[in-house]
Amino acid sequence: MTTADFTADAQTILPELVELRRALHADPELGLDLPRTQQKVLNALQGLPLEITTGTRTSSVTAVLRGELPGPTVLLRGDMDALPILEETNLDFASANGNMHACGHDLHTAGLVGAAKLLSARQSELHGSVIFMFQPGEEGHGGAKIMLDEGLLSAAGERPVAAYAIHVGPGPRGVFATRGGPVAAGSNQLTVKLKGRGGHGSQPHQTLDPVPAAAELVLALQSFVTRRFNAFDPVVLSITRLSTGDGAINVIPESVELAATIRTMSHDSLAVLEEGLPRVVHGVAAAHELTADVSFDTLYPVTVNDAAETEAALETMREIYGEQRVAIMPSPMMGSEDFAFVLDEVPGTFIGLLTSPPDLAAEETEWNHSPRVVFDDTVLADQAAALAAIAFKRTAR
């Protein structure tokens, strides 16, 4: 068979994939515990020649398909969790439980089920094995890391040689986009508590006021980022919380708390931040005779696509869909992605798939995480076929 054969097969299962996606969309669950979502996935995989295990710390599903021809193992990922967003799409299958699949994970899950069905139908022609990773907890809960800790990469008996994931987003329907190298930023957070001595607002000389120091610190952190990093290895730092509590207006507070989100594009930048930001905080605090509690936490590493695996995946998609439907991203996204944990262990690639309905005007298009974002689920056939074809070709190498 050719990889293009997957597209015809995918069209035949499109109605059931759409039905699954809409069932998932109408009943979204959050975080690491997704029992109803997990059961829908297990029901959809029933009858396929898969070895299925479920997680112990999460409601993950890991399914292994063993081809009848010798070859390596590859991994395909689909995330399953939703967001705590009240949906405002007015779709017939909109969620009514206060949560929403506003990042397209319902499509990712249904598309991965589709890939499992397509590859299972070709088991006799498949080289090696495919691990299907149905992951909870992508939205800030580190679900991929937990699945790795629980032995995901040994599910087939040998480590995968490559890993792939497709993520939907707004844009011209059916266009695939990715790039080699960094494709999504690492996510880190800084929390600081400056502690001084409070007092009456009319007697600041009798206090150690942390408020001016906090204002100075905001500027010092921004200056550190703009002066210590190469502009072609970007770092984005945004102060997102600044609080003195809710004391009376005429009271100078004992302490000020602030927090920042920090996005990085390299491990080298992360190392500089880990050492430098606490030093800046303690330096500003000392200048004002304050003390400081500082915490710098890495939430997600940089998502880095392997150059060779990315080029091979791009070639497969061009083969199936033509040059006009495959694009090279000009720059990485500054958002972060849990699949980074997998790509830190296994070479592979993270691919975007644009999915806006064709009748939606550009000015009406909402982005992921919006309560009004809408995805066209007719792309599920292309998503499933692309995943299946990439895995099929990679195991035959």
Side-chain angles (χ1 to χ4, degrees):
M1 68 169 290
T2 67
T3 51
D5 293 333
F6 284 116
T7 59
D9 293 347
Q11 287 297 326
T12 66
I13 63 171
L14 177 59
E16 60 192 89
L17 299 183
V18 170
E19 182 180 2
L20 172 60
R21 179 260 165 156
R22 296 185 179 190
L24 293 166
H25 191 92
D27 187 24
E29 296 176 287
L30 305 179
L32 299 169
D33 187 25
L34 319 174
R36 299 187 305 278
T37 301
Q38 182 188 57
Q39 191 57 55
K40 289 181 180 71
V41 170
L42 293 172
N43 292 345
L45 298 177
Q46 196 168 14
L48 299 180
L50 302 171
E51 300 168 14
I52 296 176
T53 56
T54 55
T56 56
R57 293 167 55 195
T58 75
S59 39
S60 61
V61 176
T62 301
V64 176
L65 174 65
R66 298 189 185 277
E68 296 183 8
L69 301 174
T73 296
V74 301
L75 182 147
L76 301 177
R77 193 286 302 257
D79 38 6
M80 304 191 293
D81 57 320
L83 289 155
I85 292 174
L86 186 64
E87 184 162 354
E88 299 176 14
T89 62
N90 297 317
L91 294 169
D92 294 341
F93 51 93
S95 166
N97 69 7
N99 303 322
M100 180 185 175
H101 273 296
C103 202
H105 295 188
D106 49 340
L107 279 89
H108 304 168
T109 302
L112 187 57
V113 166
K117 288 177 178 286
L118 294 174
L119 288 167
S120 292
R122 303 284 183 171
Q123 186 179 23
S124 63
E125 304 165 71
L126 177 66
H127 292 258
S129 300
V130 180
I131 300 172
F132 301 94
M133 174 189 180
F134 293 91
Q135 178 208 319
E138 193 280 329
E139 296 288 355
H141 299 274
K145 182 67 166 62
I146 294 172
M147 291 186 72
L148 289 167
D149 291 344
E150 291 190 340
L152 171 72
L153 299 183
S154 60
E158 62 177 31
R159 287 175 67 90
V161 297
Y164 309 97
I166 289 179
H167 197 299
V168 299
R173 184 183 63 178
V175 174
F176 293 89
T178 190
R179 69 193 305 273
V183 68
S187 176
N188 316 278
Q189 66 182 26
L190 176 74
T191 55
V192 175
K193 185 174 185 178
L194 296 175
K195 295 182 288 187
R197 184 174 66 244
H200 200 284
S202 65
Q203 302 289 317
H205 62 286
Q206 294 182 350
T207 72
L208 293 175
D209 189 350
V211 175
E216 183 177 321
L217 180 58
V218 170
L219 297 178
L221 293 172
Q222 298 290 349
S223 295
F224 181 85
V225 166
T226 59
R227 291 296 177 266
R228 290 298 302 274
F229 298 99
N230 189 320
F232 297 101
D233 183 13
V235 172
V236 175
L237 183 150
S238 296
I239 305 293
T240 54
R241 293 181 186 171
L242 185 59
S243 173
T244 62
D246 54 1
I249 292 177
N250 64 348
V251 173
I252 291 174
E254 291 277 339
S255 63
V256 175
E257 297 183 17
L258 63 84
T261 182
I262 306 148
R263 305 299 166 124
T264 55
M265 281 295 169
S266 74
H267 297 297
D268 289 345
S269 291
L270 179 59
V272 173
L273 289 164
E274 287 177 317
E275 182 277 328
L277 292 185
R279 177 167 45 79
V280 170
V281 172
H282 287 298
V284 171
H288 291 265
E289 300 183 66
L290 309 176
T291 61
D293 294 332
V294 188
S295 176
F296 182 91
D297 299 301
T298 296
L299 305 179
Y300 294 106
V302 184
T303 306
V304 181
N305 282 350
D306 180 81
E309 293 295 346
T310 301
E311 185 51 44
L314 286 165
E315 188 53 39
T316 299
M317 291 184 291
R318 292 185 189 109
E319 219 175 80
I320 303 172
Y321 301 111
E323 288 279 355
Q324 73 281 2
R325 287 186 55 189
V326 179
I328 305 298
M329 294 168 57
S331 59
M333 304 178 294
M334 292 311 293
S336 300
E337 170 54 50
D338 184 290
F339 193 56
F341 289 113
V342 177
L343 293 183
D344 264 3
E345 299 285 338
V346 180
T349 191
F350 179 72
I351 302 163
L353 173 58
L354 308 186
T355 56
S356 294
D359 58 349
L360 191 66
E363 62 272 16
E364 297 174 349
T365 299
E366 301 273 353
W367 286 86
N368 293 25
H369 291 219
S370 163
R372 294 169 297 280
V373 67
V374 178
F375 303 106
D376 186 339
D377 50 24
T378 61
V379 301
L380 283 168
D382 291 342
Q383 180 187 347
L387 286 170
I390 290 168
F392 189 85
K393 279 195 73 172
R394 182 62 183 88
T395 57
R397 269 200 241 162

